Amino acid sequence: MRSGLRPGAAASTQSPDLRQRFEFDYSLDAGRSLGRVGGKGTLGPVLYAGPHIWRAQDTPAGEATLRITRSGHCAEVIGWGPGASEAAASVPALLGSQDEPAALVPHDPVVAGWVRRWATRRLTATGTIWEHVVPTVCGQKVPGLNAKNSWQGILRRWGRRPPGPAPETLRLPPTAGLMASLAYHEFHRFDVERRRAEAIIAFAHRAATLERVARLAPEAARERLQTVRGIGPWTASIVVLLCHGDPDSVIIGDYQIPNYVAWHLARERRGDDDRMLELLEPYRGQRARVQALAKSAGAPPRHGPRMPLQNLQHR
């Protein structure tokens, strides 16, 4: 992979501070290749606009906005803000350069079919921790629509506009310093009850230290994240999956994923964590990848009501 950097220090936020080109030895996925990075909803730190991916990011050098344009085996990156150069260095990993999809060896025809169908899909690795915590905690034990609405409300209230000529809906996540200064009841307007609010606040108080978890091995990172009150295996696995691009960061405690796995791998409409882990055992080392493929393959037939939306404003 080759890259060429044109250094710049433009006075205007409209003029790029950086232009960089990356070449890969694989074709770049034209879809939503950053997966669930940025959380759900219209506002967020990742936006898709035609061939472009817009990415807003905090770095030790400052805020950054990137516009990533994929074409074949190449990615053209334009950046704005004091952190543009540091943020651009993460682009290869964002686009899957650290992943090895060929490491998934099918043990049954179903997974073999998935591998053929989604042969170009790669896991992203952001190398960051804090940006994933708030949207993930918002999703703890509530339906997806609840989680989406909570995260979007938090971004409208406390999200920040990134540097440069970014789209109107691109937002930097709230800073850990701000989140640490809030009282739990300030989250109630966004349907986040005390338990989840206090998990966010507790993590925010330790965010500077816990950001170093990005440098640990995935298993150690998951264990370290769970030392924070309110951060359990489900949240830790998702954060490490996004930060490290870990293909074995298996997600347990999810309302839906065991059903997807049980249906596709065993034609069972309902599954629990134990059954899911049993079915995934032949894929140890790649279990999170198989979970993601099972979800992409579609939901099992419904035989009961959806998980109801919850009103948590006063809890």
Side-chain angles (χ1 to χ4, degrees):
M1 183 171 59
R2 301 188 304 274
S3 64
L5 172 64
R6 187 188 75 181
S12 168
T13 57
Q14 300 296 310
S15 300
D17 296 301
L18 171 144
R19 292 182 184 271
Q20 194 160 354
R21 173 185 174 90
F22 295 95
E23 294 184 7
F24 298 80
D25 58 6
Y26 54 88
S27 182
L28 299 176
D29 184 355
R32 301 174 71 85
S33 59
L34 269 62
R36 61 197 298 171
V37 175
K40 300 177 180 178
T42 303
L43 298 177
V46 176
L47 298 177
Y48 296 86
H52 308 305
I53 301 174
W54 288 87
R55 163 79 164 150
Q57 182 179 345
D58 285 303
T59 78
E63 299 174 352
T65 298
L66 301 180
R67 192 187 75 184
I68 306 166
T69 305
R70 297 161 295 171
S71 179
H73 290 68
C74 299
E76 301 282 350
V77 180
I78 299 176
W80 294 266
S85 181
E86 192 164 335
S90 70
V91 167
L94 281 177
L95 298 179
S97 67
Q98 296 180 0
D99 191 27
E100 297 181 7
L104 174 57
V105 178
H107 294 280
D108 60 79
V110 172
V111 176
W114 293 344
V115 170
R116 289 192 298 270
R117 182 177 179 184
W118 292 297
T120 63
R121 180 177 294 183
R122 288 172 173 262
L123 296 176
T124 190
T126 65
T128 61
I129 296 291
W130 168 250
E131 69 168 313
H132 307 306
V133 171
V134 180
T136 305
V137 171
C138 283
Q140 289 179 349
K141 299 187 182 300
V142 298
L145 185 57
N146 271 108
K148 174 183 173 181
N149 291 342
S150 296
W151 174 231
Q152 291 295 289
I154 288 170
L155 283 173
R156 282 192 295 271
R157 177 66 180 87
W158 294 305
R160 297 161 290 143
R161 290 298 309 275
E168 180 66 27
T169 53
L170 194 69
R171 290 288 188 278
L172 285 161
T175 65
L178 174 62
M179 295 284 99
S181 73
L182 299 175
Y184 73 84
H185 60 78
E186 295 183 71
F187 291 84
H188 284 179
R189 74 186 84 173
F190 308 120
D191 258 357
V192 177
E193 83 292 349
R194 182 171 184 169
R195 178 186 60 80
R196 287 183 294 156
E198 289 185 338
I200 291 171
I201 294 167
F203 201 105
H205 278 287
R206 298 174 57 186
T209 299
L210 289 169
E211 198 65 40
R212 302 171 194 159
V213 166
R215 300 195 291 269
L216 299 179
E219 184 175 358
R222 287 188 291 270
E223 291 178 359
R224 181 70 183 280
L225 293 177
Q226 290 178 71
T227 64
V228 180
R229 181 166 51 91
I231 304 298
W234 184 85
T235 303
S237 292
I238 292 175
V239 171
V240 171
L241 175 62
L242 297 173
C243 172
H244 292 68
D246 174 30
D248 201 48
S249 198
V250 62
I251 299 170
I252 59 174
D254 193 88
Y255 181 73
Q256 293 181 321
I257 292 178
N259 298 332
Y260 284 87
V261 173
W263 172 248
H264 289 293
L265 297 188
R267 275 302 185 258
E268 299 167 3
R269 292 191 177 188
R270 298 290 294 177
D272 57 19
D273 282 339
D274 288 340
R275 178 58 172 152
M276 178 183 68
L277 291 173
E278 179 185 356
L279 292 168
L280 291 175
E281 183 57 31
Y283 296 101
R284 180 172 289 274
Q286 297 290 315
R287 293 175 296 177
R289 193 190 305 276
V290 175
Q291 283 184 320
L293 293 173
K295 196 167 184 180
S296 295
R302 289 180 59 195
H303 66 285
R306 292 180 180 272
M307 187 177 179
L309 294 179
Q310 303 177 36
N311 186 338
L312 302 168
Q313 289 190 2
H314 304 294
R315 292 173 57 186

